[in-house]
Amino acid sequence: MAKKMASQGTPATAALAAAGVPFVLHPYTHDPSAASYGVEAAEALGVDPARVFKTLMVEVEGKLAVGIVPVSGNLDLKSVAAALGSKKAAMADPKAAERRTGYVLGGISPLGQRQPSPTVLDESALSFDTILVSGGRRGLDIELAPRDLLRLTKAVTAPIGATKG
């Protein structure tokens, strides 16, 4: 698998290959006018949006952290703060998120970030054998076991997803 991805290589795929974690690349044609990168990925790949997870950077007590939630919902800021031992969180400044991770918005992967941050994965991920997360650029998702994602990102799980509505 690792041999075929030379042109798809990102820090995220490099981290997975270095760790010996099995994964599947899911490239798709990114539409710059798409309203939601995650929903676009789910639709382009024909995957249930509950199995496609978006990586969101938040600020908790002046420090950046990562919340990973299904694209079918939103991040509950109070819940992610509580999972990290705090009372409140806010969405991170987009430029700060890009600087910290080394990725562009819409392509931020929870894996292979320039500077790792405390990470919380929505507990719904554990109900699937595999989930999809950004591969480190727009138009590339990575499918892997949620337990591998937890181990590599040193994440905790918590109910941090909120239903859209």
Side-chain angles (χ1 to χ4, degrees):
M1 199 165 8
K3 298 283 185 231
K4 288 193 272 183
M5 61 181 209
S7 65
Q8 306 281 351
T10 67
T13 59
L16 288 166
V21 170
F23 65 96
V24 178
L25 291 178
H26 291 277
Y28 60 94
T29 302
H30 167 62
D31 176 358
S33 67
S36 166
Y37 298 115
V39 172
E40 175 196 26
E43 289 174 355
L45 298 171
V47 176
D48 178 353
R51 270 188 64 220
V52 179
F53 283 69
K54 55 188 170 186
T55 305
L56 300 171
M57 297 298 293
V58 296
E59 189 176 317
V60 179
E61 294 182 13
K63 294 185 168 55
L64 292 181
V66 177
I68 308 169
V69 295
V71 301
S72 56
N74 294 313
L75 177 65
D76 181 321
L77 290 168
K78 275 193 148 167
S79 296
V80 77
L84 294 168
S86 188
K87 290 196 184 311
K88 65 181 188 176
M91 293 305 297
D93 173 72
K95 294 290 180 212
E98 290 180 339
R99 274 193 309 274
R100 175 132 186 139
T101 64
Y103 295 119
V104 297
L105 289 185
I108 293 179
S109 178
L111 299 155
Q113 293 186 0
R114 184 178 289 149
Q115 293 177 280
S117 299
T119 301
V120 184
L121 175 63
D122 185 68
E123 65 184 9
S124 69
L126 299 178
S127 65
F128 299 104
D129 291 335
T130 60
I131 60 171
L132 284 80
V133 296
S134 174
R137 65 173 172 76
R138 296 172 188 158
L140 180 65
D141 269 24
I142 296 173
E143 181 177 356
L144 75 165
R147 296 221 178 266
D148 287 332
L149 179 63
L150 284 171
R151 184 170 49 84
L152 291 176
T153 59
K154 298 179 175 58
V156 297
T157 56
I160 61 168
T163 309
K164 282 187 178 173

PDB file of all heavy atoms in Angstrom, residues 14 19-20 24-25 35 39-40 43 62-63 65 70 81 94 98 107 115 118 123 138 141 149 158-160 162:
ATOM      1  N   ALA A  14       2.764   9.634   5.766  1.00  0.00           N
ATOM      2  CA  ALA A  14       4.106   9.267   6.222  1.00  0.00           C
ATOM      3  C   ALA A  14       4.063   8.769   7.666  1.00  0.00           C
ATOM      4  O   ALA A  14       4.734   7.781   8.012  1.00  0.00           O
ATOM      5  CB  ALA A  14       5.053  10.456   6.095  1.00  0.00           C
ATOM      6  N   ALA A  19       4.490   4.168  11.290  1.00  0.00           N
ATOM      7  CA  ALA A  19       3.956   3.426  12.437  1.00  0.00           C
ATOM      8  C   ALA A  19       3.520   2.016  12.052  1.00  0.00           C
ATOM      9  O   ALA A  19       3.155   1.222  12.921  1.00  0.00           O
ATOM     10  CB  ALA A  19       2.776   4.191  13.046  1.00  0.00           C
ATOM     11  N   GLY A  20       3.521   1.716  10.752  1.00  0.00           N
ATOM     12  CA  GLY A  20       3.099   0.394  10.293  1.00  0.00           C
ATOM     13  C   GLY A  20       1.610   0.154  10.444  1.00  0.00           C
ATOM     14  O   GLY A  20       1.165  -0.983  10.578  1.00  0.00           O
ATOM     15  N   VAL A  24      -6.169   2.979   4.077  1.00  0.00           N
ATOM     16  CA  VAL A  24      -6.548   3.025   2.665  1.00  0.00           C
ATOM     17  C   VAL A  24      -6.723   4.490   2.293  1.00  0.00           C
ATOM     18  O   VAL A  24      -7.406   5.238   2.997  1.00  0.00           O
ATOM     19  CB  VAL A  24      -7.867   2.258   2.406  1.00  0.00           C
ATOM     20  CG1 VAL A  24      -8.270   2.363   0.943  1.00  0.00           C
ATOM     21  CG2 VAL A  24      -7.739   0.803   2.843  1.00  0.00           C
ATOM     22  N   LEU A  25      -6.104   4.884   1.185  1.00  0.00           N
ATOM     23  CA  LEU A  25      -6.263   6.250   0.689  1.00  0.00           C
ATOM     24  C   LEU A  25      -7.532   6.353  -0.138  1.00  0.00           C
ATOM     25  O   LEU A  25      -7.843   5.448  -0.921  1.00  0.00           O
ATOM     26  CB  LEU A  25      -5.071   6.651  -0.179  1.00  0.00           C
ATOM     27  CG  LEU A  25      -3.752   6.837   0.549  1.00  0.00           C
ATOM     28  CD1 LEU A  25      -2.651   7.182  -0.451  1.00  0.00           C
ATOM     29  CD2 LEU A  25      -3.864   7.917   1.595  1.00  0.00           C
ATOM     30  N   ALA A  35     -19.389  23.835  -0.048  1.00  0.00           N
ATOM     31  CA  ALA A  35     -19.702  24.560   1.186  1.00  0.00           C
ATOM     32  C   ALA A  35     -19.074  23.882   2.402  1.00  0.00           C
ATOM     33  O   ALA A  35     -18.717  24.545   3.367  1.00  0.00           O
ATOM     34  CB  ALA A  35     -21.212  24.655   1.360  1.00  0.00           C
ATOM     35  N   VAL A  39     -18.542  17.093   4.149  1.00  0.00           N
ATOM     36  CA  VAL A  39     -19.721  16.572   3.446  1.00  0.00           C
ATOM     37  C   VAL A  39     -19.361  16.300   1.990  1.00  0.00           C
ATOM     38  O   VAL A  39     -19.779  15.292   1.411  1.00  0.00           O
ATOM     39  CB  VAL A  39     -20.912  17.550   3.574  1.00  0.00           C
ATOM     40  CG1 VAL A  39     -22.069  17.116   2.691  1.00  0.00           C
ATOM     41  CG2 VAL A  39     -21.348  17.661   5.029  1.00  0.00           C
ATOM     42  N   GLU A  40     -18.541  17.167   1.400  1.00  0.00           N
ATOM     43  CA  GLU A  40     -18.078  16.948   0.037  1.00  0.00           C
ATOM     44  C   GLU A  40     -17.361  15.605  -0.058  1.00  0.00           C
ATOM     45  O   GLU A  40     -17.609  14.822  -0.976  1.00  0.00           O
ATOM     46  CB  GLU A  40     -17.134  18.068  -0.399  1.00  0.00           C
ATOM     47  CG  GLU A  40     -16.537  17.815  -1.782  1.00  0.00           C
ATOM     48  CD  GLU A  40     -15.327  18.674  -2.120  1.00  0.00           C
ATOM     49  OE1 GLU A  40     -14.618  19.121  -1.199  1.00  0.00           O
ATOM     50  OE2 GLU A  40     -15.092  18.865  -3.315  1.00  0.00           O
ATOM     51  N   GLU A  43     -19.850  12.651   0.198  1.00  0.00           N
ATOM     52  CA  GLU A  43     -20.635  12.504  -1.027  1.00  0.00           C
ATOM     53  C   GLU A  43     -19.772  11.984  -2.176  1.00  0.00           C
ATOM     54  O   GLU A  43     -20.169  11.070  -2.901  1.00  0.00           O
ATOM     55  CB  GLU A  43     -21.291  13.834  -1.405  1.00  0.00           C
ATOM     56  CG  GLU A  43     -22.411  14.211  -0.449  1.00  0.00           C
ATOM     57  CD  GLU A  43     -22.986  15.596  -0.705  1.00  0.00           C
ATOM     58  OE1 GLU A  43     -22.471  16.343  -1.576  1.00  0.00           O
ATOM     59  OE2 GLU A  43     -23.954  15.943   0.002  1.00  0.00           O
ATOM     60  N   GLY A  62      -6.063  29.190  26.141  1.00  0.00           N
ATOM     61  CA  GLY A  62      -4.932  29.772  25.427  1.00  0.00           C
ATOM     62  C   GLY A  62      -4.064  28.783  24.662  1.00  0.00           C
ATOM     63  O   GLY A  62      -3.067  29.167  24.058  1.00  0.00           O
ATOM     64  N   LYS A  63      -4.437  27.504  24.670  1.00  0.00           N
ATOM     65  CA  LYS A  63      -3.658  26.491  23.956  1.00  0.00           C
ATOM     66  C   LYS A  63      -4.520  25.831  22.891  1.00  0.00           C
ATOM     67  O   LYS A  63      -5.732  25.669  23.074  1.00  0.00           O
ATOM     68  CB  LYS A  63      -3.155  25.428  24.936  1.00  0.00           C
ATOM     69  CG  LYS A  63      -2.142  25.952  25.944  1.00  0.00           C
ATOM     70  CD  LYS A  63      -1.611  24.805  26.772  1.00  0.00           C
ATOM     71  CE  LYS A  63      -0.426  25.109  27.591  1.00  0.00           C
ATOM     72  NZ  LYS A  63      -0.318  26.101  28.508  1.00  0.00           N
ATOM     73  N   ALA A  65      -5.976  22.781  20.614  1.00  0.00           N
ATOM     74  CA  ALA A  65      -6.325  21.374  20.772  1.00  0.00           C
ATOM     75  C   ALA A  65      -7.113  20.955  19.536  1.00  0.00           C
ATOM     76  O   ALA A  65      -7.498  21.792  18.715  1.00  0.00           O
ATOM     77  CB  ALA A  65      -7.139  21.164  22.049  1.00  0.00           C
ATOM     78  N   PRO A  70     -17.879  13.638  13.536  1.00  0.00           N
ATOM     79  CA  PRO A  70     -18.458  13.277  12.237  1.00  0.00           C
ATOM     80  C   PRO A  70     -18.853  14.522  11.442  1.00  0.00           C
ATOM     81  O   PRO A  70     -19.300  15.513  12.024  1.00  0.00           O
ATOM     82  CB  PRO A  70     -19.707  12.464  12.594  1.00  0.00           C
ATOM     83  CG  PRO A  70     -19.528  12.043  14.010  1.00  0.00           C
ATOM     84  CD  PRO A  70     -18.660  13.085  14.650  1.00  0.00           C
ATOM     85  N   ALA A  81     -14.156  21.044  25.664  1.00  0.00           N
ATOM     86  CA  ALA A  81     -13.458  21.691  26.780  1.00  0.00           C
ATOM     87  C   ALA A  81     -13.465  20.776  28.003  1.00  0.00           C
ATOM     88  O   ALA A  81     -12.424  20.575  28.645  1.00  0.00           O
ATOM     89  CB  ALA A  81     -14.106  23.036  27.104  1.00  0.00           C
ATOM     90  N   PRO A  94      -8.078  30.471  12.287  1.00  0.00           N
ATOM     91  CA  PRO A  94      -7.685  29.621  11.161  1.00  0.00           C
ATOM     92  C   PRO A  94      -6.189  29.682  10.840  1.00  0.00           C
ATOM     93  O   PRO A  94      -5.577  28.645  10.557  1.00  0.00           O
ATOM     94  CB  PRO A  94      -8.532  30.142   9.998  1.00  0.00           C
ATOM     95  CG  PRO A  94      -9.730  30.765  10.658  1.00  0.00           C
ATOM     96  CD  PRO A  94      -9.224  31.333  11.953  1.00  0.00           C
ATOM     97  N   GLU A  98      -3.494  26.579  10.933  1.00  0.00           N
ATOM     98  CA  GLU A  98      -2.638  26.200   9.798  1.00  0.00           C
ATOM     99  C   GLU A  98      -1.163  26.199  10.199  1.00  0.00           C
ATOM    100  O   GLU A  98      -0.420  25.281   9.840  1.00  0.00           O
ATOM    101  CB  GLU A  98      -2.879  27.133   8.613  1.00  0.00           C
ATOM    102  CG  GLU A  98      -4.236  26.928   7.964  1.00  0.00           C
ATOM    103  CD  GLU A  98      -4.497  27.848   6.786  1.00  0.00           C
ATOM    104  OE1 GLU A  98      -3.847  28.911   6.667  1.00  0.00           O
ATOM    105  OE2 GLU A  98      -5.356  27.488   5.951  1.00  0.00           O
ATOM    106  N   GLY A 107      -7.996  20.652   4.822  1.00  0.00           N
ATOM    107  CA  GLY A 107      -7.069  19.549   4.632  1.00  0.00           C
ATOM    108  C   GLY A 107      -6.309  19.235   5.910  1.00  0.00           C
ATOM    109  O   GLY A 107      -5.289  18.552   5.877  1.00  0.00           O
ATOM    110  N   GLN A 115       3.039  20.331  14.917  1.00  0.00           N
ATOM    111  CA  GLN A 115       3.125  20.312  16.384  1.00  0.00           C
ATOM    112  C   GLN A 115       1.876  19.610  16.897  1.00  0.00           C
ATOM    113  O   GLN A 115       0.782  20.163  16.785  1.00  0.00           O
ATOM    114  CB  GLN A 115       3.161  21.722  16.956  1.00  0.00           C
ATOM    115  CG  GLN A 115       4.395  22.507  16.634  1.00  0.00           C
ATOM    116  CD  GLN A 115       4.261  23.918  17.191  1.00  0.00           C
ATOM    117  OE1 GLN A 115       3.610  24.764  16.606  1.00  0.00           O
ATOM    118  NE2 GLN A 115       4.867  24.147  18.335  1.00  0.00           N
ATOM    119  N   PRO A 118      -3.256  18.329  22.085  1.00  0.00           N
ATOM    120  CA  PRO A 118      -4.195  17.428  22.768  1.00  0.00           C
ATOM    121  C   PRO A 118      -5.383  17.172  21.842  1.00  0.00           C
ATOM    122  O   PRO A 118      -5.880  18.102  21.202  1.00  0.00           O
ATOM    123  CB  PRO A 118      -4.605  18.218  24.013  1.00  0.00           C
ATOM    124  CG  PRO A 118      -3.496  19.198  24.220  1.00  0.00           C
ATOM    125  CD  PRO A 118      -2.966  19.528  22.854  1.00  0.00           C
ATOM    126  N   GLU A 123     -16.760   9.878  20.579  1.00  0.00           N
ATOM    127  CA  GLU A 123     -16.898   8.459  20.923  1.00  0.00           C
ATOM    128  C   GLU A 123     -17.667   7.653  19.875  1.00  0.00           C
ATOM    129  O   GLU A 123     -17.525   6.429  19.820  1.00  0.00           O
ATOM    130  CB  GLU A 123     -17.548   8.311  22.299  1.00  0.00           C
ATOM    131  CG  GLU A 123     -18.975   8.817  22.367  1.00  0.00           C
ATOM    132  CD  GLU A 123     -19.572   8.749  23.773  1.00  0.00           C
ATOM    133  OE1 GLU A 123     -18.825   8.468  24.726  1.00  0.00           O
ATOM    134  OE2 GLU A 123     -20.781   8.977  23.891  1.00  0.00           O
ATOM    135  N   ARG A 138      -6.786  18.864   0.742  1.00  0.00           N
ATOM    136  CA  ARG A 138      -8.157  18.812   0.224  1.00  0.00           C
ATOM    137  C   ARG A 138      -8.189  17.776  -0.895  1.00  0.00           C
ATOM    138  O   ARG A 138      -7.303  17.748  -1.744  1.00  0.00           O
ATOM    139  CB  ARG A 138      -8.567  20.182  -0.301  1.00  0.00           C
ATOM    140  CG  ARG A 138      -8.618  21.225   0.793  1.00  0.00           C
ATOM    141  CD  ARG A 138      -8.838  22.612   0.233  1.00  0.00           C
ATOM    142  NE  ARG A 138      -8.693  23.610   1.296  1.00  0.00           N
ATOM    143  CZ  ARG A 138      -8.424  24.866   1.083  1.00  0.00           C
ATOM    144  NH1 ARG A 138      -8.277  25.317  -0.154  1.00  0.00           N
ATOM    145  NH2 ARG A 138      -8.308  25.695   2.089  1.00  0.00           N
ATOM    146  N   ASP A 141      -8.810  11.616   1.615  1.00  0.00           N
ATOM    147  CA  ASP A 141      -9.170  11.095   2.932  1.00  0.00           C
ATOM    148  C   ASP A 141      -8.417   9.789   3.160  1.00  0.00           C
ATOM    149  O   ASP A 141      -8.018   9.109   2.212  1.00  0.00           O
ATOM    150  CB  ASP A 141     -10.681  10.859   3.044  1.00  0.00           C
ATOM    151  CG  ASP A 141     -11.419  12.084   3.578  1.00  0.00           C
ATOM    152  OD1 ASP A 141     -10.896  13.210   3.433  1.00  0.00           O
ATOM    153  OD2 ASP A 141     -12.518  11.909   4.140  1.00  0.00           O
ATOM    154  N   LEU A 149      -6.136   5.445  15.169  1.00  0.00           N
ATOM    155  CA  LEU A 149      -6.132   6.913  15.236  1.00  0.00           C
ATOM    156  C   LEU A 149      -5.935   7.381  16.678  1.00  0.00           C
ATOM    157  O   LEU A 149      -5.133   8.278  16.943  1.00  0.00           O
ATOM    158  CB  LEU A 149      -7.438   7.469  14.661  1.00  0.00           C
ATOM    159  CG  LEU A 149      -7.572   8.993  14.685  1.00  0.00           C
ATOM    160  CD1 LEU A 149      -6.506   9.653  13.817  1.00  0.00           C
ATOM    161  CD2 LEU A 149      -8.963   9.405  14.225  1.00  0.00           C
ATOM    162  N   ALA A 158     -14.662  11.081  23.853  1.00  0.00           N
ATOM    163  CA  ALA A 158     -15.718  11.723  24.645  1.00  0.00           C
ATOM    164  C   ALA A 158     -16.858  12.053  23.686  1.00  0.00           C
ATOM    165  O   ALA A 158     -16.652  12.131  22.472  1.00  0.00           O
ATOM    166  CB  ALA A 158     -15.194  13.002  25.304  1.00  0.00           C
ATOM    167  N   PRO A 159     -18.065  12.267  24.229  1.00  0.00           N
ATOM    168  CA  PRO A 159     -19.196  12.669  23.381  1.00  0.00           C
ATOM    169  C   PRO A 159     -19.094  14.149  23.046  1.00  0.00           C
ATOM    170  O   PRO A 159     -19.659  14.994  23.733  1.00  0.00           O
ATOM    171  CB  PRO A 159     -20.409  12.336  24.244  1.00  0.00           C
ATOM    172  CG  PRO A 159     -19.909  12.478  25.660  1.00  0.00           C
ATOM    173  CD  PRO A 159     -18.453  12.075  25.620  1.00  0.00           C
ATOM    174  N   ILE A 160     -18.336  14.480  21.980  1.00  0.00           N
ATOM    175  CA  ILE A 160     -18.107  15.895  21.645  1.00  0.00           C
ATOM    176  C   ILE A 160     -18.856  16.335  20.392  1.00  0.00           C
ATOM    177  O   ILE A 160     -18.785  17.490  20.014  1.00  0.00           O
ATOM    178  CB  ILE A 160     -16.608  16.206  21.490  1.00  0.00           C
ATOM    179  CG1 ILE A 160     -15.978  15.377  20.370  1.00  0.00           C
ATOM    180  CG2 ILE A 160     -15.880  15.987  22.821  1.00  0.00           C
ATOM    181  CD1 ILE A 160     -14.581  15.835  19.961  1.00  0.00           C
ATOM    182  N   ALA A 162     -22.177  17.265  18.227  1.00  0.00           N
ATOM    183  CA  ALA A 162     -23.539  17.794  18.424  1.00  0.00           C
ATOM    184  C   ALA A 162     -24.271  17.637  17.091  1.00  0.00           C
ATOM    185  O   ALA A 162     -23.686  17.821  16.038  1.00  0.00           O
ATOM    186  CB  ALA A 162     -23.488  19.257  18.834  1.00  0.00           C
TER     187      ALA A 162
END
